[in-house]
Every structure is written in structure tokens, then in C-alpha cells.
Amino acid sequence: MKTVIAKINLDALEHNMQKIKSKVADAQVIAVLKANAYGHGDIACSKIMDKYVSGYAVARLEEAIHLREHGCKKRILMLGGYFKAEDLKVIEELDIDFTVHNFNEIAEIKNYKATKKLNAWFQVNIGMQRLGFNENDYEEAFSQLNALDNIHKPLGMISHLSCADSETTALYNEKQIAMFQKMKQINPNGFFSLANSASILYFPLNNYDFVRSGIIQYGISPSNENTGEDLGFEPVMTLSTSIIEIRELAKGDVVGYGASWVCEKPTKIAILAIGYADGYPRAMPNGSPVLINGRIVHTVGHVCMDMMFVDIGLDAVDKIGDEAILWGKGNPVEKIASAVNTIAYELVTRPTSRVRYQYIYHNKEFEI
Ligand SMILES: *Cc1c(COP(=O)(O)O)cnc(C)c1O
């Protein structure tokens, strides 16, 4: 019997990378590997991606260092920039790209005594209101940054769309894209990056020099309105556990903490060895889908820390030790996410240190 396993199908990952590469034609791919490759394992994923990409993107310096320590030689871009001026030393040593999004950073870079040139990207805000220079200060910021002699030129320029995953916000997307097109005029010799997964899928004219593919690499749709499989991608992660107990219930029996589910007719329930401490949300409502022996059954009662309940029906022939799939192939994570009012991004980044990772590539299984 096994407890929780995240099976990572690297053949599916490879299929998705090939598909992205052919979709974006001449644009180069920066594979987004932040948050341990969205919970899929950054090192194993990067080894597969390496053939298809010109670089990687991360959110934290530690993530960039982790990739370098495991032999990554390609461009690594810190999407949110650096956090402390002291970080510049490591950034220089390890040759890490970073975004620049305020005047204070420009001053810090100016004061930094670099022995080789730094790889700074100019970040602009086109409507998300997160990071980047605005319409009214980007010209001044660009001329200050571009005047520094300790950074590489021409400058890369980067921004982010906030609503590219939904057609209902087409107007807002057009406004953001128009803003980027206007702002990029300031950097005629530079290179540009705007597209995330949703933009690659729905706004292919905005791929520019570098796309930043994230969620679709892992076979997941950027929106809960459809699934990665609907879009021709293959889910990479399958989160599973096993049945550790089966119990018959009579009408009126109540299940779990808080007695939140009452049995209305005789049935059998299975107890699964996974709980919120493994990364399955406690907030999952009664009736959420779980795949057991090829059919969908539904959760009952509150998810516990280490276990949860599913109603398998009175006639079930499932046995202790059988596998239960919480999300993955046959039980799309987008549907689980929408049942609990979140997005698939949050679910796949949740598996905790208790979860065992098993990779599979060309029919060989391995762990790292
Ligand atoms: C996370 C992130 C991406 C990737 O987004 P997906 O929707 O997963 O493709 C791209 N760019 C930035 C700035 C990000 O933070």
C-alpha cells in the first residue's frame, strides 16, 4: 500500500514543449519554472525542457541558484527582480537575468561595482498594477537605466497581461497590448517579452522575441473554462494515493469531523490516505470527484489532515490498496480547482514535503 504519490509524466511534458515550440514559430521559449516547476519538480522538468527552450524564468533567487547548482547553463530570468541590493553579487556571479521595476533599483545598480555586465530587463506596467514603470515615468526610467554602463545593452523589455485567459476581457487585453506597443518604441534595438500561456494560446501576434510559457507546459489550461487536454496538451502530474479502509454505512450514519455528511441510504465508503497536510484542500466540498478503478466517485465529509472519505456505492468491488486519483489524467485538475473556487495553478503547487515524487520517462520510472 502506498501513501501520496505525485507521478510526473515527462513524456507528456515533452509533448507539451514540442507543441508550444511549434505554436510560437520563431519566438524563443523561456520556460517558467517558478515554485518548483509549478509543483512538478524543477530539475527533472528542466532536463526535458532544455532542448526546446532558450532559458528559464523563476520568482526567487533561491530558485535560480538551485537551477545553476544542478548544471543549468541557460539564461535564468528572475521575473520579479531582485529583493536586496546584496543579491546583486550572487546574480552577477551566477549570471542571472533580472527585471528592474523602480527608480531605487536603478540607483542601486548604478552604485554596484560589477566586474562583468549585469543582465537587466526593463519592466513596464501596462495595466496589471503589479510591477513595472508606468505610462508617465517609463521614459525617464528607460533613459536612466539605459545610461548605466554596468549592464548589457540593448535592453530586454518585459511586461505581463492580466486577463489573457478569458475572452470576456478582450477589450482590456487590447488596451494592454496597445500600451505595450506604444512603450516598446522607446527601445528600438531591444528585445521583448509579453506572452504567458494564455497569450500564446489566444494572442499569437504578441509573442515577440521571447514567450514565457508556464501552466500549459504542465498540460493544464490557464482557465477553468476548459482543460489542457481540450487544448491538445497532456496533463503531467497525477496525484494519487490508495484506499486504506472500506466501511459499510447505514442510513443516518454521519461521516468525519463535525458530522458534516449524513448517509441517506446504505452505502460503502472508502478511506483514502491523503489529507490537507499532503496538499489536498480541506475546503473541497462534498461531491468532489475522485477517480477509482476507472470511474468517478465523490468525496463525503470534511477532508482530515491525513485522510479523506469517498462514497464508493453499495455494490463497489474496490479493495483496500486500490489506487485513488485525486487529479491528473482522467480527473482534470481544472475541474477540481473550479469545485473549490480556485485555479489549477494553486492545486499543483500545493503537494507538501510528505508527497513522494515519481518520474516516468520512456517507460522508465525513477525518483530524485
Ligand atoms: C508566472 C508568470 C508567467 C507564466 O504564466 P502562465 O500563466 O503559467 O503561463 C509569465 N510571466 C510572468 C511575469 C509570470 O509571473
Side-chain angles (χ1 to χ4, degrees):
M1 212 149 29
K2 58 187 194 187
T3 55
V4 186
I5 292 179
K7 208 170 260 180
I8 306 297
N9 180 345
L10 296 173
D11 297 293
L13 178 69
E14 183 147 51
H15 164 87
N16 300 336
M17 295 313 296
Q18 282 165 348
K19 191 166 163 80
I20 293 164
K21 188 78 193 129
S22 68
K23 231 181 172 58
V24 303
D26 294 337
Q28 298 182 55
V29 176
I30 292 184
V32 182
L33 276 182
K34 62 190 177 195
N36 194 26
Y38 293 43
H40 292 71
D42 57 352
I43 301 307
C45 289
S46 70
K47 304 272 187 234
I48 301 296
M49 291 166 161
D50 225 48
K51 204 156 85 194
Y52 305 97
V53 306
S54 66
Y56 299 98
V58 296
R60 303 280 188 260
L61 183 56
E62 302 81 74
E63 295 173 341
I65 294 170
H66 190 239
L67 287 173
R68 282 281 183 262
E69 282 175 352
H70 285 79
C72 174
K73 301 246 171 357
K74 293 197 163 151
R75 182 195 298 271
I76 302 177
L77 169 62
M78 281 172 67
L79 293 167
Y82 67 88
F83 293 85
K84 314 186 287 285
E86 301 95 274
D87 294 345
L88 287 171
K89 196 166 173 331
V90 182
I91 283 172
E92 180 192 358
E93 263 169 37
L94 297 183
D95 205 18
I96 291 163
D97 289 29
F98 58 98
T99 61
V100 177
H101 50 81
N102 65 45
F103 285 101
N104 189 41
E105 291 172 344
I106 298 178
E108 285 172 353
I109 296 165
K110 186 171 182 184
N111 289 331
Y112 179 72
K113 304 265 174 301
T115 51
K116 54 185 199 250
K117 289 183 195 281
L118 302 173
N119 301 312
W121 290 61
F122 184 62
Q123 189 166 26
V124 290
N125 165 33
I126 54 174
M128 172 113 168
Q129 310 306 347
R130 199 167 63 176
L131 298 178
F133 295 97
N134 289 324
E135 191 179 9
N136 54 18
D137 62 10
Y138 79 99
E139 290 162 305
E140 172 60 22
F142 185 85
S143 69
Q144 284 190 22
L145 186 63
N146 205 36
L148 302 185
D149 52 19
N150 57 358
I151 58 172
H152 279 293
K153 305 292 163 61
L155 277 173
M157 190 160 162
I158 182 169
S159 195
H160 197 47
L161 294 168
S162 51
C163 307
D165 59 333
S166 175
E167 287 171 32
T168 56
T169 48
L171 246 170
Y172 195 64
N173 287 315
E174 278 164 32
K175 227 174 112 188
Q176 291 199 321
I177 290 165
M179 177 69 75
F180 190 68
Q181 279 164 352
K182 174 181 146 188
M183 287 172 150
K184 76 190 272 292
Q185 306 304 323
I186 203 169
N187 190 21
N189 303 316
F191 47 93
F192 303 93
S193 178
L194 179 62
N196 58 4
S197 294
S199 178
I200 292 169
L201 293 172
Y202 305 121
F203 299 93
L205 296 179
N206 296 289
N207 288 341
Y208 300 108
D209 302 289
F210 294 92
V211 299
R212 307 188 303 273
S213 51
I215 197 83
I216 53 176
Q217 301 172 133
Y218 310 107
I220 298 168
S221 169
S223 140
N224 286 343
E225 288 160 22
N226 49 21
T227 67
E229 275 190 303
D230 294 338
L231 300 165
F233 297 97
E234 288 176 21
V236 176
M237 178 191 292
T238 296
L239 189 74
S240 68
T241 185
S242 53
I243 297 176
I244 52 170
E245 187 62 278
I246 292 176
R247 164 183 307 289
E248 285 196 25
L249 298 189
K251 182 174 156 72
D253 284 342
V254 291
V255 169
Y257 286 117
S260 68
W261 189 75
V262 184
C263 181
E264 285 178 352
K265 57 176 200 285
T267 191
K268 280 191 211 165
I269 58 167
I271 320 300
L272 310 181
I274 180 170
Y276 57 81
D278 300 289
Y280 191 81
R282 183 178 181 281
M284 288 306 304
N286 280 320
S288 303
V290 175
L291 183 69
I292 295 181
N293 290 322
R295 75 192 192 289
I296 293 289
V297 296
H298 296 99
T299 59
V300 296
H302 284 308
V303 173
C304 313
M305 189 183 287
D306 317 303
M307 285 173 261
M308 55 182 274
F309 313 91
V310 287
D311 182 354
I312 54 176
L314 197 56
D315 304 326
V317 294
D318 311 296
K319 300 179 303 300
I320 290 176
D322 286 356
E323 182 185 58
I325 293 175
L326 289 311
W327 62 68
K329 192 135 183 98
N331 195 14
V333 67
E334 295 89 342
K335 300 234 162 92
I336 310 296
S338 91
V340 67
N341 259 321
T342 186
I343 51 177
Y345 296 71
E346 190 184 359
L347 295 188
V348 290
T349 52
R350 267 171 172 252
T352 64
S353 56
R354 229 159 66 163
V355 174
R356 237 175 72 205
Y357 276 70
Q358 251 173 26
Y359 297 90
I360 179 151
Y361 189 55
H362 292 356
N363 294 319
K364 274 209 197 73
E365 276 194 23
F366 61 97
E367 295 187 18
I368 37 181

